[in-house]
């Protein structure tokens, strides 16, 4: 099955605004691909939702559980220091490498600029959607 690591910005988009991010989560729930996630990604997501969108404790807990229950949770065994401009982006890479994800879906320019890292290809949500429609 196709493995995908979603960047935090995709989860935020899905949970706060709907749109393409929400469609991606729906496609994963339907079994069209596997979402790979790590605790570092979940922790960053909850911090953004709490600090930037004022999510409360119950909503944060429920959101974390919802994503964790639908995803393949991995524990990265190696620390990467590839993206110097935003070190938190390295946590996304670490998850994708550990899970052997095929894609990282992101709107982050630093990740997208990489293009590929090993066998992992970086794409936008819209690019990924187009690929899934063609499959």
């Amino acid at each position: 099955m196709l493995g995908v690591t979603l960047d935090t910005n995709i989860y935020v988009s899905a949970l706060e605004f709907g749109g393409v991010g929400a469609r991606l989560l729906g496609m994963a729930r339907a079994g069209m691909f596997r979402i790979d996630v790590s605790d570092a990604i979940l922790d960053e997501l909850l911090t953004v939702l709490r600090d930037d969108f004022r999510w409360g404790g119950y909503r944060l807990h429920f959101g974390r559980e919802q994503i964790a229950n639908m995803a393949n949770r991995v524990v990265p065994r190696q620390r990467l220091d590839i993206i110097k401009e935003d070190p938190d982006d390295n946590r996304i890479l670490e998850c994708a490498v550990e899970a052997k994800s095929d894609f990282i879906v992101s709107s982050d320019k630093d990740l997208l600029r990489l293009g590929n890292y090993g066998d992992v290809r970086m794409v936008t949500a819209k690019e990924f959607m187009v690929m899934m429609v063609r499959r």
Side-chain angles (χ1 to χ4, degrees):
M1 175 174 281
L2 196 64
V4 179
T5 296
L6 301 177
D7 193 357
T8 305
N9 54 53
I10 302 299
Y11 289 113
V12 170
S13 175
L15 296 171
E16 273 297 307
F17 308 109
V20 175
R23 287 198 305 253
L24 289 174
L25 291 182
M27 292 167 70
R29 274 191 209 100
M32 296 179 74
F33 59 89
R34 179 191 77 227
I35 291 178
D36 300 317
V37 72
S38 66
D39 283 341
I41 294 171
L42 291 172
D43 291 345
E44 181 182 8
L45 172 61
L46 295 185
T47 299
V48 170
L49 292 172
R50 183 191 67 223
D51 296 350
D52 296 349
F53 296 97
R54 309 271 189 248
W55 279 37
Y58 176 77
R59 193 171 179 201
L60 289 168
H61 174 76
F62 181 73
R64 181 185 184 105
E65 289 304 305
Q66 187 177 24
I67 291 168
N69 289 337
M70 68 180 284
N72 171 45
R73 290 179 72 177
V74 298
V75 177
R77 290 176 283 181
Q78 62 177 318
R79 292 282 288 188
L80 297 175
D81 187 26
I82 306 302
I83 301 174
K84 307 293 186 197
E85 301 83 3
D86 186 358
D88 287 340
D89 290 339
N90 290 303
R91 307 303 76 83
I92 305 296
L93 286 173
E94 291 164 2
C95 176
V97 168
E98 185 66 34
K100 296 181 176 45
S101 296
D102 299 289
F103 293 94
I104 290 175
V105 178
S106 179
S107 61
D108 183 281
K109 62 179 173 32
D110 296 321
L111 278 169
L112 293 170
R113 190 178 307 122
L114 278 178
N116 292 296
Y117 182 77
D119 293 333
V120 183
R121 183 172 164 203
M122 282 47 145
V123 296
T124 66
K126 288 181 182 177
E127 290 171 329
F128 187 72
M129 290 290 292
V130 168
M131 282 187 278
M132 292 305 293
V133 168
R134 291 183 181 160
R135 288 187 109 218

mmCIF file of all heavy atoms in Angstrom, residues 6-26 29 35 37 41-50 53-56 58-68 70:
data_model
loop_
_atom_site.group_PDB
_atom_site.id
_atom_site.type_symbol
_atom_site.label_atom_id
_atom_site.label_comp_id
_atom_site.label_asym_id
_atom_site.label_seq_id
_atom_site.Cartn_x
_atom_site.Cartn_y
_atom_site.Cartn_z
ATOM 1 N N LEU A 6 2.074 12.990 6.166
ATOM 2 C CA LEU A 6 1.492 14.316 6.002
ATOM 3 C C LEU A 6 2.209 15.296 6.913
ATOM 4 O O LEU A 6 2.437 15.004 8.088
ATOM 5 C CB LEU A 6 0.002 14.296 6.361
ATOM 6 C CG LEU A 6 -0.891 13.349 5.548
ATOM 7 C CD1 LEU A 6 -2.319 13.401 6.083
ATOM 8 C CD2 LEU A 6 -0.853 13.705 4.069
ATOM 9 N N ASP A 7 2.542 16.452 6.375
ATOM 10 C CA ASP A 7 3.142 17.501 7.171
ATOM 11 C C ASP A 7 2.076 18.090 8.097
ATOM 12 O O ASP A 7 0.874 18.009 7.821
ATOM 13 C CB ASP A 7 3.703 18.588 6.254
ATOM 14 C CG ASP A 7 4.624 19.572 6.949
ATOM 15 O OD1 ASP A 7 4.806 19.478 8.183
ATOM 16 O OD2 ASP A 7 5.160 20.453 6.255
ATOM 17 N N THR A 8 2.508 18.695 9.162
ATOM 18 C CA THR A 8 1.592 19.294 10.133
ATOM 19 C C THR A 8 0.628 20.271 9.474
ATOM 20 O O THR A 8 -0.551 20.324 9.822
ATOM 21 C CB THR A 8 2.400 20.013 11.240
ATOM 22 O OG1 THR A 8 3.321 19.081 11.798
ATOM 23 C CG2 THR A 8 1.493 20.563 12.316
ATOM 24 N N ASN A 9 1.114 21.038 8.489
ATOM 25 C CA ASN A 9 0.245 22.021 7.843
ATOM 26 C C ASN A 9 -0.930 21.380 7.113
ATOM 27 O O ASN A 9 -1.996 21.990 7.004
ATOM 28 C CB ASN A 9 1.037 22.965 6.919
ATOM 29 C CG ASN A 9 1.863 22.233 5.889
ATOM 30 O OD1 ASN A 9 1.360 21.398 5.147
ATOM 31 N ND2 ASN A 9 3.142 22.555 5.830
ATOM 32 N N ILE A 10 -0.789 20.153 6.672
ATOM 33 C CA ILE A 10 -1.892 19.444 6.010
ATOM 34 C C ILE A 10 -2.948 19.058 7.041
ATOM 35 O O ILE A 10 -4.151 19.214 6.809
ATOM 36 C CB ILE A 10 -1.379 18.202 5.260
ATOM 37 C CG1 ILE A 10 -0.331 18.593 4.218
ATOM 38 C CG2 ILE A 10 -2.546 17.441 4.639
ATOM 39 C CD1 ILE A 10 -0.817 19.549 3.127
ATOM 40 N N TYR A 11 -2.510 18.575 8.202
ATOM 41 C CA TYR A 11 -3.464 18.246 9.273
ATOM 42 C C TYR A 11 -4.211 19.499 9.743
ATOM 43 O O TYR A 11 -5.422 19.460 9.947
ATOM 44 C CB TYR A 11 -2.748 17.610 10.470
ATOM 45 C CG TYR A 11 -2.233 16.225 10.238
ATOM 46 C CD1 TYR A 11 -0.879 15.962 10.202
ATOM 47 C CD2 TYR A 11 -3.116 15.154 10.078
ATOM 48 C CE1 TYR A 11 -0.396 14.674 10.008
ATOM 49 C CE2 TYR A 11 -2.648 13.863 9.882
ATOM 50 C CZ TYR A 11 -1.289 13.634 9.850
ATOM 51 O OH TYR A 11 -0.819 12.358 9.662
ATOM 52 N N VAL A 12 -3.482 20.588 9.942
ATOM 53 C CA VAL A 12 -4.121 21.833 10.384
ATOM 54 C C VAL A 12 -5.153 22.274 9.364
ATOM 55 O O VAL A 12 -6.286 22.628 9.718
ATOM 56 C CB VAL A 12 -3.072 22.939 10.631
ATOM 57 C CG1 VAL A 12 -3.746 24.294 10.840
ATOM 58 C CG2 VAL A 12 -2.199 22.599 11.827
ATOM 59 N N SER A 13 -4.788 22.236 8.107
ATOM 60 C CA SER A 13 -5.725 22.608 7.045
ATOM 61 C C SER A 13 -6.969 21.728 7.085
ATOM 62 O O SER A 13 -8.097 22.219 6.993
ATOM 63 C CB SER A 13 -5.027 22.491 5.686
ATOM 64 O OG SER A 13 -5.928 22.729 4.643
ATOM 65 N N ALA A 14 -6.768 20.436 7.243
ATOM 66 C CA ALA A 14 -7.890 19.490 7.268
ATOM 67 C C ALA A 14 -8.806 19.737 8.457
ATOM 68 O O ALA A 14 -10.031 19.767 8.314
ATOM 69 C CB ALA A 14 -7.369 18.055 7.307
ATOM 70 N N LEU A 15 -8.218 19.918 9.631
ATOM 71 C CA LEU A 15 -8.994 20.017 10.862
ATOM 72 C C LEU A 15 -9.628 21.392 11.069
ATOM 73 O O LEU A 15 -10.661 21.502 11.717
ATOM 74 C CB LEU A 15 -8.121 19.661 12.057
ATOM 75 C CG LEU A 15 -7.604 18.221 12.073
ATOM 76 C CD1 LEU A 15 -6.582 18.034 13.172
ATOM 77 C CD2 LEU A 15 -8.750 17.238 12.218
ATOM 78 N N GLU A 16 -9.016 22.417 10.514
ATOM 79 C CA GLU A 16 -9.528 23.774 10.715
ATOM 80 C C GLU A 16 -10.308 24.318 9.516
ATOM 81 O O GLU A 16 -11.217 25.109 9.695
ATOM 82 C CB GLU A 16 -8.372 24.736 11.020
ATOM 83 C CG GLU A 16 -8.010 24.799 12.469
ATOM 84 C CD GLU A 16 -9.124 25.335 13.352
ATOM 85 O OE1 GLU A 16 -9.665 26.426 13.084
ATOM 86 O OE2 GLU A 16 -9.461 24.642 14.319
ATOM 87 N N PHE A 17 -9.929 23.916 8.318
ATOM 88 C CA PHE A 17 -10.499 24.557 7.134
ATOM 89 C C PHE A 17 -11.180 23.606 6.165
ATOM 90 O O PHE A 17 -11.854 24.043 5.239
ATOM 91 C CB PHE A 17 -9.412 25.346 6.390
ATOM 92 C CG PHE A 17 -8.668 26.297 7.281
ATOM 93 C CD1 PHE A 17 -7.351 26.049 7.648
ATOM 94 C CD2 PHE A 17 -9.285 27.424 7.791
ATOM 95 C CE1 PHE A 17 -6.665 26.918 8.482
ATOM 96 C CE2 PHE A 17 -8.612 28.301 8.630
ATOM 97 C CZ PHE A 17 -7.292 28.047 8.973
ATOM 98 N N GLY A 18 -10.983 22.294 6.325
ATOM 99 C CA GLY A 18 -11.574 21.335 5.392
ATOM 100 C C GLY A 18 -10.765 21.277 4.109
ATOM 101 O O GLY A 18 -9.551 21.185 4.136
ATOM 102 N N GLY A 19 -11.426 21.355 2.995
ATOM 103 C CA GLY A 19 -10.753 21.396 1.698
ATOM 104 C C GLY A 19 -9.959 20.151 1.366
ATOM 105 O O GLY A 19 -10.311 19.032 1.753
ATOM 106 N N VAL A 20 -8.863 20.366 0.652
ATOM 107 C CA VAL A 20 -8.036 19.260 0.163
ATOM 108 C C VAL A 20 -7.490 18.420 1.318
ATOM 109 O O VAL A 20 -7.466 17.197 1.243
ATOM 110 C CB VAL A 20 -6.885 19.788 -0.720
ATOM 111 C CG1 VAL A 20 -5.948 18.664 -1.132
ATOM 112 C CG2 VAL A 20 -7.430 20.476 -1.958
ATOM 113 N N GLY A 21 -7.087 19.070 2.401
ATOM 114 C CA GLY A 21 -6.571 18.328 3.551
ATOM 115 C C GLY A 21 -7.591 17.354 4.103
ATOM 116 O O GLY A 21 -7.283 16.195 4.392
ATOM 117 N N ALA A 22 -8.832 17.807 4.243
ATOM 118 C CA ALA A 22 -9.897 16.928 4.742
ATOM 119 C C ALA A 22 -10.180 15.799 3.756
ATOM 120 O O ALA A 22 -10.443 14.664 4.168
ATOM 121 C CB ALA A 22 -11.160 17.735 5.008
ATOM 122 N N ARG A 23 -10.106 16.097 2.477
ATOM 123 C CA ARG A 23 -10.315 15.031 1.475
ATOM 124 C C ARG A 23 -9.216 13.981 1.575
ATOM 125 O O ARG A 23 -9.476 12.782 1.441
ATOM 126 C CB ARG A 23 -10.388 15.625 0.074
ATOM 127 C CG ARG A 23 -11.701 16.363 -0.163
ATOM 128 C CD ARG A 23 -11.993 16.576 -1.637
ATOM 129 N NE ARG A 23 -10.920 17.242 -2.337
ATOM 130 C CZ ARG A 23 -10.953 18.505 -2.761
ATOM 131 N NH1 ARG A 23 -12.022 19.243 -2.566
ATOM 132 N NH2 ARG A 23 -9.938 19.024 -3.401
ATOM 133 N N LEU A 24 -7.991 14.418 1.826
ATOM 134 C CA LEU A 24 -6.894 13.455 1.984
ATOM 135 C C LEU A 24 -7.134 12.539 3.176
ATOM 136 O O LEU A 24 -6.932 11.323 3.079
ATOM 137 C CB LEU A 24 -5.557 14.181 2.135
ATOM 138 C CG LEU A 24 -5.003 14.858 0.891
ATOM 139 C CD1 LEU A 24 -3.747 15.647 1.232
ATOM 140 C CD2 LEU A 24 -4.723 13.853 -0.200
ATOM 141 N N LEU A 25 -7.562 13.098 4.296
ATOM 142 C CA LEU A 25 -7.851 12.256 5.456
ATOM 143 C C LEU A 25 -8.979 11.281 5.150
ATOM 144 O O LEU A 25 -8.922 10.112 5.547
ATOM 145 C CB LEU A 25 -8.212 13.113 6.674
ATOM 146 C CG LEU A 25 -7.082 13.942 7.282
ATOM 147 C CD1 LEU A 25 -7.586 14.703 8.508
ATOM 148 C CD2 LEU A 25 -5.881 13.092 7.631
ATOM 149 N N GLY A 26 -9.997 11.724 4.427
ATOM 150 C CA GLY A 26 -11.090 10.843 4.034
ATOM 151 C C GLY A 26 -10.630 9.715 3.123
ATOM 152 O O GLY A 26 -11.055 8.571 3.266
ATOM 153 N N ARG A 29 -8.857 7.191 5.280
ATOM 154 C CA ARG A 29 -9.842 6.392 6.027
ATOM 155 C C ARG A 29 -10.484 5.336 5.132
ATOM 156 O O ARG A 29 -10.822 4.253 5.592
ATOM 157 C CB ARG A 29 -10.931 7.286 6.605
ATOM 158 C CG ARG A 29 -10.596 7.879 7.922
ATOM 159 C CD ARG A 29 -11.809 8.549 8.576
ATOM 160 N NE ARG A 29 -11.352 9.618 9.421
ATOM 161 C CZ ARG A 29 -11.349 10.910 9.100
ATOM 162 N NH1 ARG A 29 -11.819 11.310 7.949
ATOM 163 N NH2 ARG A 29 -10.892 11.799 9.945
ATOM 164 N N ILE A 35 -1.493 6.465 6.022
ATOM 165 C CA ILE A 35 -0.858 7.638 6.609
ATOM 166 C C ILE A 35 0.154 7.163 7.644
ATOM 167 O O ILE A 35 -0.164 6.340 8.503
ATOM 168 C CB ILE A 35 -1.888 8.561 7.295
ATOM 169 C CG1 ILE A 35 -2.779 9.228 6.253
ATOM 170 C CG2 ILE A 35 -1.175 9.622 8.141
ATOM 171 C CD1 ILE A 35 -3.844 10.124 6.853
ATOM 172 N N VAL A 37 2.672 8.416 10.713
ATOM 173 C CA VAL A 37 2.795 9.534 11.648
ATOM 174 C C VAL A 37 3.686 9.135 12.813
ATOM 175 O O VAL A 37 3.792 7.949 13.148
ATOM 176 C CB VAL A 37 1.391 9.990 12.140
ATOM 177 C CG1 VAL A 37 0.775 8.984 13.088
ATOM 178 C CG2 VAL A 37 1.428 11.378 12.759
ATOM 179 N N ILE A 41 5.278 14.506 15.157
ATOM 180 C CA ILE A 41 4.318 15.184 14.279
ATOM 181 C C ILE A 41 3.040 15.482 15.051
ATOM 182 O O ILE A 41 2.501 16.596 14.980
ATOM 183 C CB ILE A 41 4.032 14.344 13.021
ATOM 184 C CG1 ILE A 41 5.292 14.247 12.163
ATOM 185 C CG2 ILE A 41 2.859 14.942 12.221
ATOM 186 C CD1 ILE A 41 5.186 13.265 11.003
ATOM 187 N N LEU A 42 2.546 14.508 15.795
ATOM 188 C CA LEU A 42 1.327 14.723 16.585
ATOM 189 C C LEU A 42 1.526 15.822 17.623
ATOM 190 O O LEU A 42 0.648 16.666 17.822
ATOM 191 C CB LEU A 42 0.889 13.417 17.256
ATOM 192 C CG LEU A 42 0.363 12.334 16.311
ATOM 193 C CD1 LEU A 42 0.147 11.032 17.080
ATOM 194 C CD2 LEU A 42 -0.907 12.777 15.615
ATOM 195 N N ASP A 43 2.683 15.839 18.277
ATOM 196 C CA ASP A 43 2.966 16.869 19.284
ATOM 197 C C ASP A 43 2.996 18.261 18.653
ATOM 198 O O ASP A 43 2.442 19.215 19.212
ATOM 199 C CB ASP A 43 4.294 16.592 19.995
ATOM 200 C CG ASP A 43 4.237 15.367 20.893
ATOM 201 O OD1 ASP A 43 3.117 14.881 21.200
ATOM 202 O OD2 ASP A 43 5.322 14.887 21.278
ATOM 203 N N GLU A 44 3.643 18.381 17.501
ATOM 204 C CA GLU A 44 3.688 19.681 16.821
ATOM 205 C C GLU A 44 2.284 20.116 16.406
ATOM 206 O O GLU A 44 1.910 21.280 16.559
ATOM 207 C CB GLU A 44 4.599 19.625 15.594
ATOM 208 C CG GLU A 44 4.681 20.964 14.883
ATOM 209 C CD GLU A 44 5.540 20.956 13.636
ATOM 210 O OE1 GLU A 44 5.995 19.881 13.186
ATOM 211 O OE2 GLU A 44 5.746 22.047 13.083
ATOM 212 N N LEU A 45 1.497 19.175 15.904
ATOM 213 C CA LEU A 45 0.130 19.484 15.501
ATOM 214 C C LEU A 45 -0.673 20.027 16.677
ATOM 215 O O LEU A 45 -1.354 21.054 16.567
ATOM 216 C CB LEU A 45 -0.550 18.242 14.923
ATOM 217 C CG LEU A 45 -2.042 18.372 14.638
ATOM 218 C CD1 LEU A 45 -2.321 19.455 13.609
ATOM 219 C CD2 LEU A 45 -2.602 17.023 14.191
ATOM 220 N N LEU A 46 -0.603 19.352 17.819
ATOM 221 C CA LEU A 46 -1.365 19.789 18.986
ATOM 222 C C LEU A 46 -0.910 21.152 19.487
ATOM 223 O O LEU A 46 -1.739 21.975 19.911
ATOM 224 C CB LEU A 46 -1.276 18.751 20.095
ATOM 225 C CG LEU A 46 -1.908 17.397 19.780
ATOM 226 C CD1 LEU A 46 -1.866 16.501 20.998
ATOM 227 C CD2 LEU A 46 -3.309 17.530 19.259
ATOM 228 N N THR A 47 0.373 21.410 19.416
ATOM 229 C CA THR A 47 0.884 22.719 19.826
ATOM 230 C C THR A 47 0.321 23.820 18.933
ATOM 231 O O THR A 47 -0.123 24.862 19.429
ATOM 232 C CB THR A 47 2.429 22.728 19.796
ATOM 233 O OG1 THR A 47 2.908 21.746 20.718
ATOM 234 C CG2 THR A 47 2.989 24.089 20.155
ATOM 235 N N VAL A 48 0.310 23.594 17.643
ATOM 236 C CA VAL A 48 -0.232 24.594 16.701
ATOM 237 C C VAL A 48 -1.727 24.792 16.937
ATOM 238 O O VAL A 48 -2.215 25.930 16.988
ATOM 239 C CB VAL A 48 0.049 24.178 15.245
ATOM 240 C CG1 VAL A 48 -0.719 25.061 14.260
ATOM 241 C CG2 VAL A 48 1.540 24.227 14.947
ATOM 242 N N LEU A 49 -2.458 23.691 17.085
ATOM 243 C CA LEU A 49 -3.909 23.805 17.298
ATOM 244 C C LEU A 49 -4.230 24.516 18.615
ATOM 245 O O LEU A 49 -5.163 25.319 18.684
ATOM 246 C CB LEU A 49 -4.566 22.430 17.253
ATOM 247 C CG LEU A 49 -4.564 21.746 15.888
ATOM 248 C CD1 LEU A 49 -5.069 20.315 16.007
ATOM 249 C CD2 LEU A 49 -5.391 22.526 14.872
ATOM 250 N N ARG A 50 -3.450 24.246 19.650
ATOM 251 C CA ARG A 50 -3.670 24.888 20.952
ATOM 252 C C ARG A 50 -3.291 26.372 20.907
ATOM 253 O O ARG A 50 -4.074 27.237 21.294
ATOM 254 C CB ARG A 50 -2.847 24.181 22.033
ATOM 255 C CG ARG A 50 -3.078 24.754 23.442
ATOM 256 C CD ARG A 50 -2.065 24.238 24.446
ATOM 257 N NE ARG A 50 -0.753 24.763 24.087
ATOM 258 C CZ ARG A 50 0.366 24.033 24.097
ATOM 259 N NH1 ARG A 50 0.357 22.774 24.463
ATOM 260 N NH2 ARG A 50 1.516 24.569 23.746
ATOM 261 N N PHE A 53 -4.959 28.198 17.286
ATOM 262 C CA PHE A 53 -6.393 28.072 17.013
ATOM 263 C C PHE A 53 -7.221 27.887 18.281
ATOM 264 O O PHE A 53 -8.406 27.621 18.216
ATOM 265 C CB PHE A 53 -6.637 26.920 16.026
ATOM 266 C CG PHE A 53 -6.013 27.184 14.686
ATOM 267 C CD1 PHE A 53 -4.769 26.657 14.367
ATOM 268 C CD2 PHE A 53 -6.654 27.982 13.754
ATOM 269 C CE1 PHE A 53 -4.175 26.917 13.145
ATOM 270 C CE2 PHE A 53 -6.072 28.249 12.534
ATOM 271 C CZ PHE A 53 -4.830 27.715 12.212
ATOM 272 N N ARG A 54 -6.556 27.979 19.439
ATOM 273 C CA ARG A 54 -7.232 27.968 20.742
ATOM 274 C C ARG A 54 -8.044 26.700 21.021
ATOM 275 O O ARG A 54 -9.106 26.764 21.628
ATOM 276 C CB ARG A 54 -8.130 29.196 20.894
ATOM 277 C CG ARG A 54 -7.481 30.517 20.611
ATOM 278 C CD ARG A 54 -6.866 31.068 21.881
ATOM 279 N NE ARG A 54 -6.418 32.446 21.666
ATOM 280 C CZ ARG A 54 -5.148 32.793 21.665
ATOM 281 N NH1 ARG A 54 -4.223 31.899 21.861
ATOM 282 N NH2 ARG A 54 -4.799 34.040 21.492
ATOM 283 N N TRP A 55 -7.543 25.557 20.527
ATOM 284 C CA TRP A 55 -8.223 24.305 20.839
ATOM 285 C C TRP A 55 -8.031 24.004 22.325
ATOM 286 O O TRP A 55 -6.934 24.166 22.867
ATOM 287 C CB TRP A 55 -7.639 23.170 20.013
ATOM 288 C CG TRP A 55 -8.157 23.073 18.616
ATOM 289 C CD1 TRP A 55 -8.483 24.100 17.779
ATOM 290 C CD2 TRP A 55 -8.382 21.876 17.879
ATOM 291 N NE1 TRP A 55 -8.891 23.618 16.564
ATOM 292 C CE2 TRP A 55 -8.845 22.252 16.599
ATOM 293 C CE3 TRP A 55 -8.232 20.529 18.166
ATOM 294 C CZ2 TRP A 55 -9.158 21.318 15.617
ATOM 295 C CZ3 TRP A 55 -8.540 19.601 17.189
ATOM 296 C CH2 TRP A 55 -9.011 19.999 15.930
ATOM 297 N N GLY A 56 -9.100 23.518 22.966
ATOM 298 C CA GLY A 56 -9.050 23.128 24.370
ATOM 299 C C GLY A 56 -8.607 21.686 24.547
ATOM 300 O O GLY A 56 -8.440 20.943 23.579
ATOM 301 N N TYR A 58 -9.992 18.805 25.709
ATOM 302 C CA TYR A 58 -10.777 17.683 25.203
ATOM 303 C C TYR A 58 -10.660 17.580 23.683
ATOM 304 O O TYR A 58 -10.451 16.493 23.136
ATOM 305 C CB TYR A 58 -12.247 17.821 25.599
ATOM 306 C CG TYR A 58 -13.116 16.732 25.013
ATOM 307 C CD1 TYR A 58 -13.109 15.448 25.561
ATOM 308 C CD2 TYR A 58 -13.900 16.962 23.890
ATOM 309 C CE1 TYR A 58 -13.869 14.432 25.013
ATOM 310 C CE2 TYR A 58 -14.667 15.951 23.336
ATOM 311 C CZ TYR A 58 -14.652 14.694 23.898
ATOM 312 O OH TYR A 58 -15.397 13.693 23.349
ATOM 313 N N ARG A 59 -10.792 18.708 23.014
ATOM 314 C CA ARG A 59 -10.720 18.711 21.549
ATOM 315 C C ARG A 59 -9.336 18.258 21.077
ATOM 316 O O ARG A 59 -9.208 17.521 20.096
ATOM 317 C CB ARG A 59 -11.048 20.110 21.035
ATOM 318 C CG ARG A 59 -11.316 20.180 19.563
ATOM 319 C CD ARG A 59 -11.840 21.548 19.175
ATOM 320 N NE ARG A 59 -12.075 21.604 17.751
ATOM 321 C CZ ARG A 59 -12.145 22.724 17.054
ATOM 322 N NH1 ARG A 59 -12.042 23.892 17.673
ATOM 323 N NH2 ARG A 59 -12.343 22.700 15.758
ATOM 324 N N LEU A 60 -8.289 18.702 21.763
ATOM 325 C CA LEU A 60 -6.928 18.275 21.417
ATOM 326 C C LEU A 60 -6.766 16.770 21.594
ATOM 327 O O LEU A 60 -6.212 16.087 20.719
ATOM 328 C CB LEU A 60 -5.901 19.014 22.277
ATOM 329 C CG LEU A 60 -5.699 20.492 21.978
ATOM 330 C CD1 LEU A 60 -4.883 21.145 23.076
ATOM 331 C CD2 LEU A 60 -5.053 20.692 20.614
ATOM 332 N N HIS A 61 -7.244 16.258 22.715
ATOM 333 C CA HIS A 61 -7.144 14.824 22.985
ATOM 334 C C HIS A 61 -7.888 14.023 21.917
ATOM 335 O O HIS A 61 -7.362 13.047 21.366
ATOM 336 C CB HIS A 61 -7.699 14.501 24.372
ATOM 337 C CG HIS A 61 -7.762 13.041 24.658
ATOM 338 N ND1 HIS A 61 -6.636 12.302 24.969
ATOM 339 C CD2 HIS A 61 -8.801 12.168 24.644
ATOM 340 C CE1 HIS A 61 -6.992 11.040 25.132
ATOM 341 N NE2 HIS A 61 -8.290 10.933 24.953
ATOM 342 N N PHE A 62 -9.115 14.443 21.603
ATOM 343 C CA PHE A 62 -9.917 13.744 20.610
ATOM 344 C C PHE A 62 -9.257 13.812 19.231
ATOM 345 O O PHE A 62 -9.200 12.811 18.514
ATOM 346 C CB PHE A 62 -11.332 14.330 20.552
ATOM 347 C CG PHE A 62 -12.219 13.637 19.565
ATOM 348 C CD1 PHE A 62 -12.720 12.368 19.816
ATOM 349 C CD2 PHE A 62 -12.538 14.249 18.359
ATOM 350 C CE1 PHE A 62 -13.522 11.722 18.895
ATOM 351 C CE2 PHE A 62 -13.342 13.610 17.425
ATOM 352 C CZ PHE A 62 -13.831 12.347 17.699
ATOM 353 N N GLY A 63 -8.730 14.969 18.867
ATOM 354 C CA GLY A 63 -8.051 15.114 17.573
ATOM 355 C C GLY A 63 -6.834 14.214 17.452
ATOM 356 O O GLY A 63 -6.624 13.558 16.431
ATOM 357 N N ARG A 64 -6.034 14.163 18.514
ATOM 358 C CA ARG A 64 -4.847 13.298 18.510
ATOM 359 C C ARG A 64 -5.243 11.834 18.364
ATOM 360 O O ARG A 64 -4.659 11.092 17.570
ATOM 361 C CB ARG A 64 -4.038 13.504 19.786
ATOM 362 C CG ARG A 64 -2.780 12.648 19.822
ATOM 363 C CD ARG A 64 -2.042 12.782 21.148
ATOM 364 N NE ARG A 64 -0.815 12.045 21.107
ATOM 365 C CZ ARG A 64 0.396 12.565 20.980
ATOM 366 N NH1 ARG A 64 0.545 13.865 20.900
ATOM 367 N NH2 ARG A 64 1.466 11.802 20.943
ATOM 368 N N GLU A 65 -6.242 11.411 19.147
ATOM 369 C CA GLU A 65 -6.679 10.019 19.094
ATOM 370 C C GLU A 65 -7.243 9.659 17.721
ATOM 371 O O GLU A 65 -7.008 8.562 17.215
ATOM 372 C CB GLU A 65 -7.720 9.752 20.180
ATOM 373 C CG GLU A 65 -7.139 9.739 21.578
ATOM 374 C CD GLU A 65 -6.013 8.735 21.744
ATOM 375 O OE1 GLU A 65 -6.232 7.545 21.448
ATOM 376 O OE2 GLU A 65 -4.905 9.135 22.148
ATOM 377 N N GLN A 66 -7.987 10.566 17.142
ATOM 378 C CA GLN A 66 -8.578 10.318 15.827
ATOM 379 C C GLN A 66 -7.493 10.070 14.777
ATOM 380 O O GLN A 66 -7.571 9.121 14.004
ATOM 381 C CB GLN A 66 -9.449 11.511 15.425
ATOM 382 C CG GLN A 66 -10.240 11.301 14.166
ATOM 383 C CD GLN A 66 -11.141 12.497 13.869
ATOM 384 O OE1 GLN A 66 -10.900 13.617 14.308
ATOM 385 N NE2 GLN A 66 -12.175 12.250 13.103
ATOM 386 N N ILE A 67 -6.465 10.893 14.775
ATOM 387 C CA ILE A 67 -5.379 10.715 13.804
ATOM 388 C C ILE A 67 -4.555 9.480 14.148
ATOM 389 O O ILE A 67 -4.239 8.665 13.272
ATOM 390 C CB ILE A 67 -4.506 11.975 13.739
ATOM 391 C CG1 ILE A 67 -5.313 13.108 13.105
ATOM 392 C CG2 ILE A 67 -3.231 11.712 12.943
ATOM 393 C CD1 ILE A 67 -4.689 14.464 13.229
ATOM 394 N N ALA A 68 -4.210 9.320 15.410
ATOM 395 C CA ALA A 68 -3.383 8.172 15.816
ATOM 396 C C ALA A 68 -4.063 6.847 15.495
ATOM 397 O O ALA A 68 -3.399 5.884 15.107
ATOM 398 C CB ALA A 68 -3.066 8.262 17.307
ATOM 399 N N MET A 70 -6.098 6.176 13.036
ATOM 400 C CA MET A 70 -6.241 5.880 11.613
ATOM 401 C C MET A 70 -4.891 5.760 10.905
ATOM 402 O O MET A 70 -4.827 5.402 9.741
ATOM 403 C CB MET A 70 -7.091 6.949 10.909
ATOM 404 C CG MET A 70 -6.430 8.302 10.822
ATOM 405 S SD MET A 70 -7.441 9.533 9.988
ATOM 406 C CE MET A 70 -7.260 9.057 8.307
#
